[in-house]
Amino acid sequence: MQVEVIEPHGMCAGVNGAIAKALALAKARPEGDRSPIYCLHELVHNEIVIGELRDLGFRFVERIGEVPRGATVVFSAHGVPPQVRAEAERRDLKVVDATCPFVARVHRSARDFAEKGMEVCVLGDPAHAEVRGIVGEVEAAGGRALAGPAGAAAAKKAGGAAPLGVVAQTTMNSDEVERAVAELARARRVKTMAKVCGATKERQDAVRRFCRGAGPGAAVLVLGSKTSSNTRRLAEVAEECGARAFTAGAMDELSRLDFAGVERLGVTSGASTPERFFMEAVRSLRRVPEHVAIIMDGNGRWAKARGKNRGAGHRAGAKTLERVLDWCGERGIRYLTVYAFSTENWKRPKAEVDGLMALFARMLKTKERDFVANRVRFRMVGRRGDLSPKLLSIVESLERKTEAFERQLIVAISYGGRAEIVDAANAAVARGEQVTEETFRRHLYAPDVPDPDLVIRTSGECRVSNFLLWESAYSEYWFTDTLWPDFSEADFDSALASYAERDRRRGGV
Ligand code: IPE
Ligand code: IPE
Ligand code: MG
């Protein structure tokens, strides 16, 4: 199955703005303050976002009366009716308004129509928070709102000479809005501001484009929550265009979908779906490994074949690593661990060892800017005490500066798989711990990093050479004769393609 990303997809500016406001509130709380921050209605309709906000101390309520006096309340991106604003003021609530600016514009139009004495037809789902907010706006201005399909039918039937104001929920199917407005206009005079938001329309149009060019084996996967109106609309648009549509709100739901018979799968996501989930889903559909580890071998032989010294081979190898890190970023691989120097490599001639340590220091210093610009977290695994104080301080300073980033480059220096196991065992003994596989893992050098999915070794040697002995228990291995400095993007893709074909039974059947 070919998996294609449909562009544009995912979060819109309104959702991003609402989440940024909520996160800023959580961040501004004094240390140790666990008092809840209230949010009227789900901030955005996405279960992953809501789960993360709950973990930060947000409490979601459906009525303003549930918010205790004087507390902080966030109005969700879908907006609220003016009656709720007034109630919040009466209850002395500290209000943070995360209403999407486009929704706020619809409120203003609806109010204008009502103030001019027009009846206002609100296209959309009358049970949705956004429509309820708009209806409230019309009523607060002394007008009459006709909401949803029943409202539209009543507005058509009423006819008459007085113009009808028409607005729409911003996340409707754009074709449906056009059709509904045209029908109303045939029955009576309308003044319309009914338009779905630009981001919603762009995402729907992108699905239409994908479906138009796709054959009978094509399907669309929409990532987002069932509660999200714009997500559901994307699936409807795909079906209208004759494609099969699948939806998933989280990874476990995705894993239960059956794509049998699908040859081309276009993947899109709703305006409130986090991009991190989108990337993880695409990676799993394409069977891209989350963690790749590489034994970068063959620098010395590469140099020898060119009549150069071994140091030149190591410098060429360092350039290969820079390229591989970029390829990982482009393919959505989250962790790259590379074996740069083993506990056994200390027995090499002093000149080679000194040259390697100097190369590590130089690389880490000159690459700092790139790590930050590309949002790559750098970490070292290995025996830190074996490094010179100067190199260790460069390593640890770079680790601190990049620790907030998600994508990771983990460099194994003075690393041995046996040393790591011995160090972990000693750490457990020092705490008087009887270990299990799970608790033992906590003492490894990078306990939070998942085990490597794929281990690559270059230079034709088919051995592990003391690399990630604990972590690679169920890793897939891929060997190539190519020497590390020559390792190309095509080699990397061959390794990934081989991985994608493998059946990882992990002892099962
Ligand atoms: C791997 O290349 C890099 C390090 C061990 C530092 P080698 O230096 O092992 O190169 P070969 O295996 O001698 O060709
Ligand atoms: C493994 O390569 C270590 C690194 C690539 C850093 P070696 O070249 O040291 O391993 P052997 O000696 O071939 O097993
Ligand atoms: Mg070697």
Side-chain angles (χ1 to χ4, degrees):
M1 177 172 76
Q2 194 181 319
V3 177
E4 291 173 39
V5 168
I6 299 180
E7 298 285 9
H9 66 264
M11 281 203 181
C12 63
V15 166
N16 269 321
I19 294 174
K21 277 186 184 168
L23 292 181
L25 262 181
K27 208 165 164 204
R29 272 197 307 190
E31 188 96 56
D33 179 359
R34 299 303 296 161
S35 60
I37 301 171
Y38 289 84
C39 185
L40 182 61
H41 201 70
E42 291 189 342
L43 181 75
V44 298
H45 287 149
N46 183 271
E47 65 208 73
I48 300 170
V49 175
I50 296 302
E52 285 171 359
L53 291 174
R54 278 213 177 95
D55 290 345
L56 287 172
F58 280 81
R59 196 168 292 172
F60 297 91
V61 295
E62 284 308 310
R63 289 179 311 107
I64 194 79
E66 295 173 63
V67 183
R69 264 188 182 282
T72 300
V73 64
V74 182
F75 290 158
S76 84
H78 315 97
V80 297
Q83 298 82 340
V84 167
R85 283 179 202 282
E87 176 70 17
E89 210 172 290
R90 273 198 299 280
R91 295 172 65 81
D92 271 339
L93 304 182
K94 291 187 261 315
V95 168
V96 174
D97 189 356
T99 304
C100 158
F102 193 81
V103 173
R105 216 156 84 197
V106 179
H107 276 244
R108 285 196 295 278
S109 306
R111 192 172 55 229
D112 280 354
F113 287 146
E115 282 169 354
K116 289 189 181 117
M118 291 185 239
E119 274 187 333
V120 184
C121 179
V122 187
L123 302 173
D125 172 4
H128 192 284
E130 184 181 327
V131 173
R132 293 204 310 263
I134 301 166
V135 166
E137 192 75 58
V138 172
E139 289 170 356
R144 187 161 106 97
L146 300 157
K156 246 182 300 180
K157 215 155 112 205
L164 173 76
V166 186
V167 294
Q169 186 179 348
T170 56
T171 52
M172 283 184 74
N173 178 335
S174 58
D175 286 350
E176 202 183 308
V177 171
E178 273 176 40
R179 276 196 300 271
V181 172
E183 262 181 53
L184 284 167
R186 274 197 293 277
R188 59 191 285 190
R189 199 146 65 88
V190 297
K191 283 213 184 299
T192 179
M193 269 299 298
K195 256 205 319 205
V196 302
C197 93
T200 300
K201 180 158 171 34
E202 278 174 10
R203 281 151 186 71
Q204 292 173 0
D205 286 344
V207 169
R208 290 184 184 106
R209 270 197 308 277
F210 171 83
C211 293
R212 218 174 292 135
V220 173
L221 169 66
V222 187
L223 297 169
S225 293
K226 301 220 170 1
T227 47
S228 157
S229 159
N230 76 84
T231 299
R232 290 199 307 269
R233 295 296 86 76
L234 288 171
E236 279 171 22
V237 166
E239 279 167 349
E240 268 175 22
C241 298
R244 275 170 76 192
F246 297 88
T247 53
M251 286 307 288
D252 57 337
E253 216 177 317
L254 178 63
S255 66
R256 289 195 293 272
L257 296 176
D258 179 4
F259 296 107
V262 177
E263 282 154 31
R264 265 183 83 195
L265 183 71
V267 191
T268 182
S269 58
S272 46
T273 307
E275 190 62 10
R276 191 153 32 90
F277 165 49
F278 184 89
M279 295 281 296
E280 197 183 342
V282 169
R283 202 176 50 222
S284 106
L285 288 162
R286 286 183 174 154
R287 310 205 54 199
V288 172
E290 183 179 24
H291 182 177
V292 173
I294 306 181
I295 302 171
M296 310 181 289
D297 198 13
N299 295 345
R301 279 162 281 168
W302 182 90
K304 195 168 172 212
R306 285 162 180 74
K308 297 183 179 183
N309 62 29
R310 295 178 60 85
H314 294 316
R315 288 193 294 280
K319 291 252 172 308
T320 303
L321 173 56
E322 285 177 36
R323 291 193 289 270
V324 173
L325 185 59
D326 287 343
W327 302 335
C328 286
E330 288 156 15
R331 286 157 184 75
I333 294 164
R334 185 152 170 219
Y335 302 91
L336 171 65
T337 299
V338 291
Y339 204 4
F341 194 90
S342 71
T343 43
E344 289 71 36
N345 288 148
W346 291 107
K347 62 180 175 227
R348 293 190 179 193
K350 184 171 184 306
E352 181 174 351
V353 170
D354 288 349
L356 276 165
M357 295 300 146
L359 176 64
F360 298 153
R362 218 170 37 245
M363 265 208 70
L364 298 185
K365 273 203 288 205
T366 53
K367 289 282 136 201
E368 180 181 315
R369 219 176 315 155
D370 289 351
F371 282 119
V372 173
N374 298 326
R375 303 182 65 75
V376 174
R377 176 174 177 186
F378 167 81
R379 331 171 49 166
M380 176 199 146
V381 289
R383 286 200 159 145
R384 288 173 187 246
D386 292 349
L387 269 52
S388 72
K390 190 166 154 238
L391 178 56
L392 186 61
S393 88
I394 294 170
V395 163
E396 293 188 337
S397 141
L398 187 56
E399 286 184 326
R400 275 193 302 277
K401 285 182 183 142
T402 59
E403 75 187 343
F405 302 141
E406 281 199 17
R407 190 150 83 80
Q408 304 195 11
L409 170 67
I410 301 153
V411 182
I413 307 175
S414 196
Y415 176 89
R418 288 184 171 177
E420 181 175 29
I421 292 170
V422 166
D423 289 349
N426 282 328
V429 168
R431 297 170 60 141
E433 251 179 57
Q434 173 99 25
V435 290
T436 64
E437 287 190 17
E438 271 326 299
T439 61
F440 186 77
R441 175 180 291 275
R442 289 188 211 138
H443 299 293
L444 297 175
Y445 295 140
D448 55 303
V449 174
D451 288 342
D453 300 295
L454 171 66
V455 180
I456 295 172
R457 181 166 189 160
T458 56
S459 88
E461 312 294 1
C462 294
R463 57 178 169 253
V464 179
S465 300
N466 204 7
F467 189 44
L468 301 178
L469 296 183
W470 177 276
E471 297 86 341
S472 66
Y474 269 104
S475 302
E476 297 295 325
Y477 275 84
W478 190 81
F479 297 99
T480 173
D481 287 340
T482 306
L483 302 173
W484 177 245
D486 291 331
F487 187 72
S488 67
E489 192 164 9
D491 293 325
F492 191 52
D493 282 333
S494 296
L496 297 180
S498 164
Y499 173 84
E501 294 290 307
R502 300 191 192 182
D503 180 10
R504 299 183 75 186
R505 284 185 296 277
R506 292 187 167 91
V509 285

